[in-house]
């Protein structure tokens, strides 16, 4: 660009900013960045993943893993807010304490947890509220995740309600705080604590020690983590050391500032005009991700291609997954798996076609849930400054040769 043209352009931008509303049009949201390479190094119990930071560990699962309903433990994404994660936990001496407004304070060992309570299992999607954040334009604050800040596993553990029953709640108990075991590197940073209102917690909420039939991987919260099916995972506290029952909400950084969206009907705002009120992100919206093929794959002309991927929501259940090969004009129904893993799990889908035109082909996928909610086109996604809850229609572009 010539210098003169640059100035011309700068003038155009300035005048459209003055118009205000035309700035809104510039806030077009696109597709998440989903073709990043995996790191050359791997963390213990993990295969190489897409790495954003090693301290704290921030690891993303590559898109091509999302062709099966269960995400393998060693490919499961990792997100920690604080760098100082304990490096050693002794399962023989580990206990979790339950205190605060309870009749009887408890200290439960792992062994007690596994032998003295009813053992339950739930298959559920764990998705960070910031998953796919890299799609937001202008850029939204936080890790620029592609679509792999999520996974689905079968979690085994004990119902939180059974533990609270054993402790016995006092009459004015209203909030339950969960502490992670890690520490911040600087004393100004608060520890990772989440508070949940008692009435938000149902029987599906469990304290899990097992993931897909094995101990939790260390980085996914060994030896115990909270599982809250249907909700974004910011409250699924890992490496829980302590459960404290209170009668008043304490103002906590991770509850008051992060993982919140505008408290208005569209849950949206603009870069220039922030929404005055916010609310926690909580329930997941309906979404689907294509696992195969991936971006820029080479596909043979007239060969038999089976598009595969996963779809999920907050537990209402997926009704249909639709595929478009013409930019979203026509949609065709994909085949869904039998749904045996339950309403909180991924439903896998498949869709066969024979590419009959050469060159670039874009495959688009959208899911519809049982209450009729679906995914908007990426360009119609509403912006929020935290970059949360992205669920635009997914697409990959392949090369037919
Ligand atoms: N103790 C602790 N638990 C935590 C967090 C954390 O930083 N510390 N991050 C939360 C967030 S924001 C996410 S997305 C999930 C990530 O879980 P994973 O690392 O098992 O994928 O853990 C949640 N639980
Ligand atoms: Mo998260």
């Amino acid at each position: 660009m010539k210098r003169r043209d640059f100035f011309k352009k700068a003038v155009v931008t300035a005048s459209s900013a003055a118009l205000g509303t035309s700035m809104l049009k510039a806030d077009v949201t696109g597709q998440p960045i989903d073709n990043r390479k995996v790191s050359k190094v791997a963390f213990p119990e993990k295969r190489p993943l897409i790495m954003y930071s090693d301290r704290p560990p921030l690891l993303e699962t590559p898109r091509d893993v999302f062709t099966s309903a269960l995400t393998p433990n060693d490919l499961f994404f990792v997100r920690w807010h604080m760098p100082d994660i304990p490096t050693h936990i002794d399962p023989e001496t580990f206990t979790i304490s339950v205190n605060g407004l309870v009749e009887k304070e408890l200290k439960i060992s792992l062994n007690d947890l596994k032998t003295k309570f009813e053992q339950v299992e739930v298959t559920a999607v764990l998705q960070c509220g910031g998953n796919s954040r890299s799609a937001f334009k202008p850029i939204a604050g936080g890790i620029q995740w592609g679509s792999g800040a999520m996974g689905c596993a079968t979690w085994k553990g004990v119902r939180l309600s059974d533990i609270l029953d054993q402790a016995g709640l006092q009459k004015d108990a209203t909030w339950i705080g969960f502490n992670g075991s890690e520490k911040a590197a600087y004393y100004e940073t608060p520890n990772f604590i989440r508070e949940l209102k008692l009435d938000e917690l149902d029987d599906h909420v469990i304290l899990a020690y097992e993931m897909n039939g094995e101990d939790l991987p260390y980085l996914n919260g060994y030896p115990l983590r909270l599982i809250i099916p249907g909700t974004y995972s910011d409250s699924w506290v890992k490496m829980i050391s302590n459960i404290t029952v209170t009668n008043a909400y304490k103002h906590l950084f991770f509850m008051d500032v992060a993982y919140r969206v505008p408290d208005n009907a569209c849950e949206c705002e603009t870069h220039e005009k922030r929404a005055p009120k916010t609310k926690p992100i909580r329930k997941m919206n309906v979404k689907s991700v294509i696992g195969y093929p991936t971006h820029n794959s080479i596909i043979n002309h007239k060969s038999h291609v089976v598009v595969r991927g996963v779809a999920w929501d907050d537990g209402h259940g997926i009704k249909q997954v639709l595929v478009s090969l013409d930019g979203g004009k026509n949609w065709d129904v994909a085949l869904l798996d039998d749904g045996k893993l339950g309403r909180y799990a991924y439903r896998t889908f498949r869709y066969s076609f024979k590419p009959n035109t050469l060159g670039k082909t874009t495959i688009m996928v959208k899911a519809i849930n049982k209450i009729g909610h679906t995914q908007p086109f990426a360009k119609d996604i509403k912006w929020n400054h935290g970059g949360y809850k992205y669920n635009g229609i997914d697409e990959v572009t392949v090369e037919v040769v």
Side-chain angles (χ1 to χ4, degrees):
M1 198 193 293
K2 282 188 209 129
R3 213 179 140 70
R4 201 181 48 230
D5 297 338
F6 173 83
F7 279 116
K8 254 194 211 153
K9 221 176 166 186
V11 170
V12 171
T13 316
S15 60
S16 63
L19 288 173
T21 48
S22 57
M23 274 308 277
L24 280 177
K25 294 217 180 70
D27 294 359
V28 169
T29 291
Q31 287 287 321
I33 303 167
D34 262 326
N35 51 4
R36 293 191 182 92
K37 295 265 178 304
V38 299
S39 162
K40 291 207 169 61
V41 293
F43 277 83
E45 305 175 287
K46 295 285 169 186
R47 279 188 261 174
L49 293 165
I50 299 159
M51 185 162 77
Y52 294 85
S53 155
D54 59 358
R55 197 166 184 273
L58 295 174
L59 309 171
E60 177 175 338
T61 305
R63 178 188 268 279
D64 63 359
V65 174
F66 301 116
T67 51
S68 60
L70 295 175
T71 313
N73 291 4
D74 59 359
L75 289 170
F76 211 96
F77 92 104
V78 171
R79 199 271 187 262
W80 288 86
H81 290 78
M82 250 74 76
D84 217 350
I85 304 165
T87 50
H88 179 81
I89 284 173
D90 181 355
E92 299 301 320
T93 57
F94 175 89
T95 58
I96 173 166
S97 14
V98 185
N99 50 35
L101 298 178
V102 291
E103 303 295 342
K104 186 169 63 160
E105 293 204 350
L106 305 177
K107 268 197 185 304
I108 311 170
S109 70
L110 270 184
N111 190 52
D112 283 353
L113 201 85
K114 292 179 187 177
T115 53
K116 299 198 171 143
F117 292 87
E118 189 186 339
Q119 308 298 299
V120 292
E121 270 189 7
V122 62
T123 301
V125 174
L126 184 167
Q127 180 187 201
C128 180
N131 189 29
S132 311
R133 181 182 286 126
S134 58
F136 284 98
K137 301 203 179 39
I139 205 162
I143 304 152
Q144 296 301 302
W145 298 112
S147 300
M150 62 168 196
C152 178
T154 300
W155 312 92
K156 182 175 177 183
V158 170
R159 280 185 205 100
L160 177 67
S161 56
D162 290 351
I163 294 174
L164 295 178
D165 277 354
Q166 193 166 105
L169 293 175
Q170 291 182 17
K171 263 208 209 76
D172 49 345
T174 18
W175 291 90
I176 312 187
F178 301 88
N179 289 50
S181 308
E182 79 274 29
K183 294 275 177 315
Y186 307 103
Y187 69 89
E188 295 91 352
T189 317
N191 286 339
F192 194 82
I193 305 171
R194 302 290 294 183
E195 278 187 327
L196 295 174
K197 218 169 176 179
L198 205 53
D199 57 18
E200 291 175 36
L201 301 168
D202 58 21
D203 276 356
H204 299 286
V205 177
I206 66 173
L207 278 184
Y209 52 81
E210 227 177 78
M211 176 173 172
N212 295 329
E214 293 168 4
D215 283 348
L216 292 175
Y218 209 84
L219 292 175
N220 297 108
Y222 182 84
L224 265 186
R225 82 174 304 166
L226 198 58
I227 303 299
I228 315 171
T231 71
Y232 289 103
S233 54
D234 43 295
S235 292
W236 299 33
V237 179
K238 303 194 279 188
M239 229 174 242
I240 290 190
S241 59
N242 191 40
I243 300 178
T244 307
V245 182
T246 62
N247 59 4
Y249 173 74
K250 290 207 204 71
H251 287 270
L252 297 166
F253 171 79
F254 287 107
M255 297 292 294
D256 286 350
V257 179
Y259 300 103
R260 299 179 75 89
V261 285
D263 190 6
N264 54 32
C266 64
E267 299 186 344
C268 66
E269 59 195 339
T270 63
H271 201 258
E272 292 72 30
K273 200 163 182 283
R274 287 272 200 103
K277 273 179 68 194
T278 61
K279 61 184 178 192
I281 51 178
R282 308 235 333 115
K283 300 254 180 209
M284 293 193 283
N285 52 23
V286 60
K287 186 163 170 176
S288 58
V289 165
I290 301 166
Y292 180 86
T294 51
H295 290 293
N296 305 324
S297 302
I298 306 288
I299 280 170
N300 288 322
H301 190 224
K302 298 201 166 140
S303 65
H304 184 84
V305 181
V306 186
V307 179
R308 295 162 67 194
V310 295
W312 72 99
D313 72 345
D314 61 353
H316 284 95
I318 295 300
K319 187 172 140 212
Q320 230 175 18
V321 170
L322 302 174
V323 179
S324 174
L325 300 171
D326 61 3
K329 281 188 223 82
N330 294 288
W331 295 90
D332 210 359
V333 181
L335 285 175
L336 289 178
D337 70 26
D338 57 18
K340 273 204 194 110
L341 292 175
R343 64 197 178 102
Y344 295 116
Y346 283 150
R347 290 293 292 276
T348 58
F349 65 83
R350 46 177 61 223
Y351 177 79
S352 306
F353 78 103
K354 284 193 174 142
N356 51 21
T357 40
L358 290 166
K360 288 205 187 307
T361 294
T362 297
I363 303 163
M364 299 173 107
V365 168
K366 69 174 172 190
I368 304 170
N369 75 2
K370 292 188 175 153
I371 53 167
H373 292 178
T374 187
Q375 302 177 245
F377 283 101
K379 66 173 174 52
D380 297 329
I381 286 279
K382 303 284 194 294
W383 194 87
N384 66 82
H385 77 270
Y388 295 121
K389 299 183 75 169
Y390 178 88
N391 75 334
I393 291 174
D394 197 30
E395 62 176 61
V396 295
T397 298
V398 299
E399 186 82 28
V400 181
V401 296

